[in-house]
Amino acid sequence: MPSNTSTVPATTDIIDALAGIAPGDALDAARARRPEARTHAQGSFEALFLPDDTSHVALAERAAVALFVARLHRQAAAVEFYGALLRETGKGLGAGAGEALEPLIVAEAERAAGSGPYGAFRAENAPESTVGPVYSVSSVEAAYALGDRLSAALEHAHLLVLHPRDAAREPLQHLLDAGWSTTGVVTLSQLISFLTFQLRVVQGLGELSTGEGAASLPELAADVARAAGERADGASTPAAPGASGRLPQAPSVEEPPRFTQQVLGWKPWLQQLPVAEFTERHYEALVQRDRVHMPYFRLLARDPEALRERTLTDLDIFTNTDAGLPRAEREVAAAAASRYNGCVFCASVHARFASENGADRDDVQRLLDEGVSARLSPRLDAIIDATVALTATPSRFGAAEIAALREAGLDELSLLDVIQAGAFFNWANRLMLSIGEPTL
């Protein structure tokens, strides 16, 4: 697969820029101990915002959705950056189009704001359900200015960001009816879910950072837009609306009645990429070729660059054994985020991994049974509480959580591991919940 090389300055890392991390400081050194996670988190940004192919999702659509998501998270630096990126990429839409869209997107995000995650838990966990505001583009003026595609995309973003437990098959048909292709829906879902990871890493590291490495975000956005335009051969106009398609027949599933450590299946709601259409580029995106038999990876392979970068980010966050947090505790953070967001499938996988890597199986099961308020041990409680604070939207991770983690004995690298493990499962949960469902 061709490398995802950009013309953004090689020293510019978007997470570092948004969190204000300076070269040579303690956080820079900690991130350098997780080099693949750092490289491929940046690679994920570039795959989604500097793509080679804009035929399914235009550059301006990507920036507009990102601004909406950043505003829902109340991330000031990200709002500034993605707002500037929209102004730059929107230039291809006509004179002043980006500038006109920016305040409209911000206003819609203000109207859609809330404090999630909201949504319904299933089966035995139904009493834990929480109700929150449901968003739709309701004014005639906003709907006209945004158009069908972008209106549907913002509604999808709100669902994933604030209502991950409520993700369902039917909203995907709404996207298809609005002109999104199946591949476009996969890319859009990847982009939104990636941002919920990126913004949480920025939140966590920003709380630890002195801010001395703050970059000029409008200038950085201009560099990104210029590089994106060059890579996509200047294609910054909206993608052509796709023909309205229909979802495949709903899969037959047996819903898990509770959170569990047993092995579960997962079935997609969208059409997977047929194996006959896989090229070497798609196989390389899988990282492990035998994943071609797994529905989740065959679906995400519709955007192979985004899949490859995501997978390599995941691997370094959880399997890099160069000091830091023990693997079992990283998996506890993953399970805690999944339990709080309501992703039964992710919770089952990573609770099981926690037990297999040395966590007490009964403690892990208590987390699944009782939820994130379960008290296990001072150290695990600090990790779970920090993960929950980080997973809230907007994130409430801050000084209190950092102090508790330090009191539990975590150093700078271990703090980074907690932040990245918890943040990553906000990405994973939203993908698993929004494009398919678990089954026994």
Side-chain angles (χ1 to χ4, degrees):
M1 178 180 294
S3 64
N4 198 26
T5 304
S6 77
T7 52
V8 177
T11 56
T12 304
D13 179 281
I14 302 300
I15 288 176
D16 284 351
L18 295 178
I21 297 173
D25 70 15
L27 288 175
D28 180 48
R31 293 199 78 202
R33 298 283 290 277
R34 300 287 180 262
E36 295 298 307
R38 188 180 211 170
T39 295
H40 295 292
Q42 176 70 9
S44 294
F45 169 83
E46 295 185 9
L48 291 163
F49 289 94
L50 291 86
D52 294 319
D53 180 5
T54 60
S55 63
H56 294 278
V57 191
L59 297 177
E61 290 175 326
R62 295 167 193 252
V65 171
L67 174 59
F68 184 78
V69 171
R71 191 72 178 187
L72 290 179
H73 284 81
R74 302 284 177 183
Q75 283 261 355
V79 168
E80 181 182 3
F81 173 71
Y82 287 113
L85 188 61
L86 176 58
R87 292 195 299 273
E88 293 290 335
T89 56
K91 290 176 180 177
L93 302 174
E99 287 85 346
L101 267 180
E102 184 184 6
L104 176 58
I105 297 291
V106 169
E108 287 297 300
E110 285 298 302
R111 193 168 67 79
S115 299
Y118 301 115
F121 282 91
R122 305 304 179 110
E124 294 179 11
N125 298 103
E128 299 177 41
S129 301
T130 54
V131 177
V134 176
Y135 165 74
S136 64
V137 178
S138 56
S139 78
V140 173
E141 295 80 8
Y144 177 79
L146 293 169
D148 291 345
R149 279 175 60 89
L150 194 48
S151 294
L154 297 188
E155 291 166 2
H156 187 58
H158 187 267
L159 177 70
L160 268 60
V161 170
L162 284 171
H163 285 264
R165 301 171 204 146
D166 289 333
R169 182 173 175 272
E170 291 72 21
L172 299 180
Q173 185 62 56
H174 179 52
L175 286 166
L176 296 177
D177 291 343
W180 289 87
S181 66
T182 298
T183 296
V185 172
V186 169
T187 295
L188 178 65
S189 300
Q190 272 277 29
L191 184 144
I192 296 163
S193 301
F194 162 73
L195 287 166
T196 68
F197 159 77
Q198 183 197 62
L199 298 180
R200 283 172 173 81
V201 175
V202 169
Q203 171 72 22
L205 298 185
E207 291 291 331
L208 294 167
S209 170
T210 62
E212 293 175 358
S216 171
L217 298 178
E219 290 181 11
L220 178 57
D223 288 341
V224 170
R226 183 164 50 252
E230 291 171 1
R231 175 178 291 177
D233 196 26
S236 57
T237 54
S244 178
R246 303 302 301 173
L247 291 174
Q249 184 176 352
S252 174
V253 300
E254 183 180 354
E255 184 177 344
R258 66 187 68 84
F259 287 88
T260 177
Q261 293 187 58
Q262 78 177 90
V263 177
L264 300 178
W266 183 89
K267 295 188 178 181
W269 291 323
L270 293 162
Q271 183 62 51
Q272 307 157 63
L273 187 67
V275 175
E277 295 182 19
F278 267 65
T279 65
E280 193 58 31
R281 171 171 165 254
H282 294 100
Y283 279 110
E284 288 184 14
L286 297 175
V287 179
Q288 299 172 8
R289 291 179 73 92
D290 61 355
R291 286 175 170 169
V292 74
H293 304 296
M294 301 173 72
Y296 180 67
F297 289 99
R298 278 178 52 200
L299 181 52
L300 293 184
R302 286 184 171 277
D303 190 334
E305 282 73 30
L307 172 58
R308 179 178 183 274
E309 297 298 328
R310 179 194 176 278
T311 300
L312 294 173
T313 305
D314 178 7
L315 288 174
D316 199 44
I317 288 173
F318 286 94
T319 65
N320 187 324
T321 57
D322 178 20
L325 205 67
R327 170 74 183 272
E329 293 177 347
R330 300 183 210 186
E331 298 292 355
V332 166
S338 303
R339 181 62 174 83
Y340 189 47
N341 279 328
C343 186
V344 173
F345 183 88
C346 291
S348 74
V349 173
H350 294 276
R352 191 166 63 252
F353 284 175
S355 295
E356 290 171 356
N357 283 278
D360 183 274
R361 185 177 181 83
D362 291 339
D363 280 349
V364 173
Q365 191 59 45
R366 283 180 57 209
L367 170 63
L368 298 181
D369 291 343
E370 300 174 23
V372 294
S373 61
R375 298 295 84 180
L376 308 180
S377 71
R379 183 176 169 101
L380 288 181
D381 293 348
I383 291 170
I384 292 168
D385 291 347
T387 300
V388 170
L390 192 66
T391 297
T393 307
S395 173
R396 55 176 186 267
F397 179 92
E401 287 74 30
I402 293 169
L405 290 169
R406 291 197 188 281
E407 187 174 344
L410 275 67
D411 60 11
E412 215 75 13
L413 183 57
S414 296
L415 286 170
L416 173 65
D417 287 338
V418 170
I419 291 166
Q420 292 197 143
F424 187 85
F425 268 81
N426 281 276
W427 186 354
N429 295 162
R430 285 169 171 84
L431 278 179
M432 299 298 304
L433 288 165
S434 68
I435 57 177
E437 60 187 312
T439 182
L440 289 174

